[in-house]
Amino acid sequence: MLILEIAVVLVSIFLGARMGGIGIGYAGGLGVLVLCLFFGLKPGSVPIDVILIIMSVIAAIAAMQVAGGLDYMVSIAEKILRKNPKQITYLAPAVTYFMTLLAGTGHTAYATLPVIAEVAKEQGIRPSRPLGVAVVASQIAITASPISAAVVFFSGILEPLGVGYIELLAIVIPTTFAACMITAFVSNYLGKDLKDDPVYQDRMKKGLVKLRGENIVEIKKGAKLSVAIFCITIFSVVTYSTLISDKIGIITNPTLPRNEAIMVFMLACATLIVLFAKVDTSKIISASTFKSGMSACICVLGVAWLGTTFVDAHINEIKDFASTLLSQYPWLLAVTLFFASMLLYSQGATTKALMPAALALGVDPTTAIASFAAVSALFVLPTYPTLLAAVEMDDTGSTRIGKLVFNHPFIVPGVLAITLSVVFGFIVSGMIL
C-alpha cells in the first residue's frame, strides 16, 4: 500500500507538471482526494498560514504595481544596469535578488529580464550568463525575504526550538547573497562567447536579433509614494517581529502574533497605497503580480496539502528510516529538499510539507537552517515561468533549452548557488546559534 501511495503522490506531481502553472495545485488536490477516499488516509493540515501570507503580500504588491511602483523600481534597476554594463553578470543577480528580497516573490524578476538581455547584447556579452544567474538569484532570495511565506512559516516552527526570526534572517541573507555573487563570477565563464556561438551567428544572418535600446517608461504620479509606503511597511514588519520575539521580549504576550501581523500590515499597506496614490481598485485584480500570486496560492494549497497528507500518515515509518540517516549525514536534508522542491515548484509548499517532519525527526535547527536554501530548486525542470520568460526574452538564442531537457543555462548556476548557500549556511549558523 505504501508503494501505491507513493505512486499516487508522484503521478499527481507529474500530472501537475505536465499541465503547467496552476495545474500543479489542481493535481495536488486530486492526489489528496485519491489518498483519502481510496487509501483511507486522513487529510493533512491545510497550509492556511502560508496561503494567507502570500495573498496579503501579493495584495500589497499588486496595489503598488497599479500605482506604478514596480515600473519605478524597474527604472531604477535599469539605470543601475546601464550605468555599469560591463558588470552585468554581477549586477543582474544582485538586482533580482534584492527585488525579490523586498517583495517576497520572485515574479518581480519578469520586468528586469528584458533589460538584462538587452544590456548584455549591447556589450557583446552572452545573455545566458547574466540571465541564468539572475533567475536563480530571484528564486533563492525567497529563502531570505522577511515577508516570504517560506521564511515566515519556517521561522514559526523554529521559534519553539529557540531560534528567532532575526537570527534566521541574519543567517540566510548573507549566505544566500554571497552564494549568488560567487555563482555570478563562475557564470562569466559558462558557454561560448556570444560572437562565437553558431546559433547567435545564424540568427544574426537571418535578422532575428534586434537591439531596442533604453526603455523609457512614464512614471506615474503616485509611484514613488507607493514604493515608500511598501518599504516602510516591510521595515515595520521586521521591527514588530523583533519586538515581540522571545529573545528581545520588549513586547510580551502580544495581542497580534507575527503571522497575523504580517497579514494585517500588508493589507494596511495596500489600503494606504490605494488611498494616497489614488489607485483604481478594479485594476488590481488584473495586475500580473496579482494573477501570479493567486495562482501560487492554488499551487501551494494543492501540493503542500498532498505532501502533508502523505507525510502525516507515515511519520513513524519516516522517522525510523530517516532519523539515523540524517543524524549521520545531515547534509542529506538539503538533498531531500532540493529534489522535493524540484517537483513541488514552490519554496513555501516544500517548506510546509517537509520542514516540520524534518524537525520532528530530531534534525538540529542548525542543519535545517543551513539546508533551507535547497527548497529553491525550481530551476531544474525548464518549465518555471521566470525561466521560460528568460528564454523568450533572449533573441540571441544563447539562453536555450537543450534537447536533453536538463542541459539548459540555469542548471549549473542553480546547483552551484544552492550548494554554496548550504555550505555557507552550515558555517554561519554554527557561528550564530
Side-chain angles (χ1 to χ4, degrees):
M1 291 296 287
L2 176 62
I3 294 174
L4 290 176
E5 290 168 12
I6 293 174
V8 169
V9 173
L10 294 178
V11 169
S12 299
I13 293 172
F14 175 76
L15 178 62
R18 287 289 301 272
M19 292 167 64
I22 200 172
I24 189 77
Y26 293 162
L30 176 62
V32 174
L33 179 68
V34 173
L35 290 177
C36 294
L37 292 186
F38 295 96
F39 293 88
L41 272 60
K42 292 183 179 180
S45 57
V46 179
I48 296 295
D49 282 355
V50 175
I51 293 171
L52 293 179
I53 289 168
I54 293 174
M55 289 178 66
S56 55
V57 170
I58 289 298
I61 293 174
M64 182 174 66
Q65 181 182 12
V66 175
L70 281 185
D71 286 338
Y72 175 62
M73 291 171 65
V74 171
S75 69
I76 294 175
E78 182 161 6
K79 289 177 182 177
I80 293 172
L81 294 171
R82 289 190 177 280
K83 190 174 181 180
N84 303 278
K86 294 292 185 182
Q87 306 302 320
I88 185 68
T89 309
Y90 298 101
L91 292 175
V95 165
T96 57
Y97 180 95
F98 282 107
M99 286 186 71
T100 299
L101 188 81
L102 179 67
T105 170
H107 294 294
T108 54
Y110 287 125
T112 60
L113 295 178
V115 180
I116 294 168
E118 290 299 318
V119 173
K121 279 191 298 183
E122 291 169 7
Q123 298 301 314
I125 296 171
R126 185 182 180 88
S128 64
R129 294 170 179 172
L131 284 172
V133 69
V135 168
V136 168
S138 73
Q139 295 179 358
I140 291 181
I142 290 291
T143 61
S145 172
I147 58 173
S148 75
V151 168
V152 174
F153 174 79
F154 189 37
S155 174
I157 61 175
L158 284 174
E159 283 188 343
L161 301 176
V163 180
Y165 177 68
I166 297 301
E167 290 172 301
L168 174 61
L169 293 178
I171 296 169
V172 295
I173 292 176
T175 54
T176 54
F177 182 69
C180 289
M181 289 300 97
I182 294 175
T183 301
F185 172 77
V186 175
S187 295
N188 274 316
Y189 302 95
L190 296 178
K192 295 181 179 179
D193 287 341
L194 186 60
K195 58 183 175 59
D196 299 325
D197 190 320
V199 174
Y200 169 70
Q201 293 171 350
D202 180 61
R203 293 181 66 85
M204 280 289 288
K205 291 178 182 177
K206 294 178 179 178
L208 299 176
V209 181
K210 299 178 181 179
L211 294 174
R212 67 167 175 82
E214 186 172 356
N215 188 28
I216 306 299
V217 178
E218 182 180 353
I219 304 302
K220 295 181 180 179
K221 189 175 181 180
K224 295 181 182 180
L225 178 60
S226 68
V227 173
I229 293 172
F230 190 78
C231 291
I232 291 171
T233 302
I234 294 176
F235 177 77
S236 300
V237 166
V238 175
T239 302
Y240 181 78
S241 299
T242 303
L243 295 177
I244 66 173
S245 68
D246 293 335
K247 294 292 180 72
I248 305 297
I250 294 178
I251 299 177
T252 56
N253 300 317
T255 56
L256 191 63
R258 189 188 62 246
N259 286 10
E260 287 77 2
I262 292 176
M263 296 174 201
V264 296
F265 271 59
M266 285 295 155
L267 292 176
C269 171
T271 303
L272 294 175
I273 290 174
V274 168
L275 290 175
F276 292 105
K278 295 180 173 57
V279 171
D280 182 355
T281 54
S282 65
K283 295 181 179 179
I284 292 177
I285 58 175
S286 300
S288 60
T289 50
F290 187 87
K291 292 177 180 178
S292 61
M294 294 309 108
S295 174
C297 288
I298 298 298
C299 292
V300 169
L301 171 62
V303 294
W305 200 2
L306 176 64
T308 55
T309 297
F310 177 79
V311 170
D312 290 352
H314 299 286
I315 188 66
N316 292 327
E317 295 98 315
I318 293 172
K319 281 183 178 180
D320 292 339
F321 175 76
S323 56
T324 302
L325 197 62
L326 287 175
S327 64
Q328 293 178 349
Y329 308 101
W331 52 269
L332 282 178
L333 175 61
V335 176
T336 303
L337 294 173
F338 182 96
F339 284 103
S341 64
M342 181 182 81
L343 298 173
L344 296 180
Y345 263 36
S346 166
Q347 294 93 335
T350 305
T351 304
K352 173 69 177 178
L354 297 181
M355 276 302 193
L359 294 173
L361 292 173
V363 171
D364 186 83
T366 300
T367 299
I369 295 171
S371 304
F372 185 37
V375 302
S376 301
L378 283 59
F379 54 82
V380 178
L381 296 175
T383 52
Y384 197 73
T386 48
L387 186 153
L388 292 175
V391 173
E392 290 297 320
M393 291 172 186
D394 179 12
D395 60 7
T396 68
S398 70
T399 311
R400 56 184 180 268
I401 299 169
K403 294 180 180 179
L404 300 177
V405 180
F406 292 101
N407 57 329
H408 53 74
F410 308 91
I411 194 76
V412 173
V415 172
L416 178 59
I418 285 181
T419 301
L420 291 173
S421 294
V422 172
V423 172
F424 294 159
F426 273 106
I427 295 172
V428 177
S429 60
M431 295 167 58
I432 292 179
L433 301 181

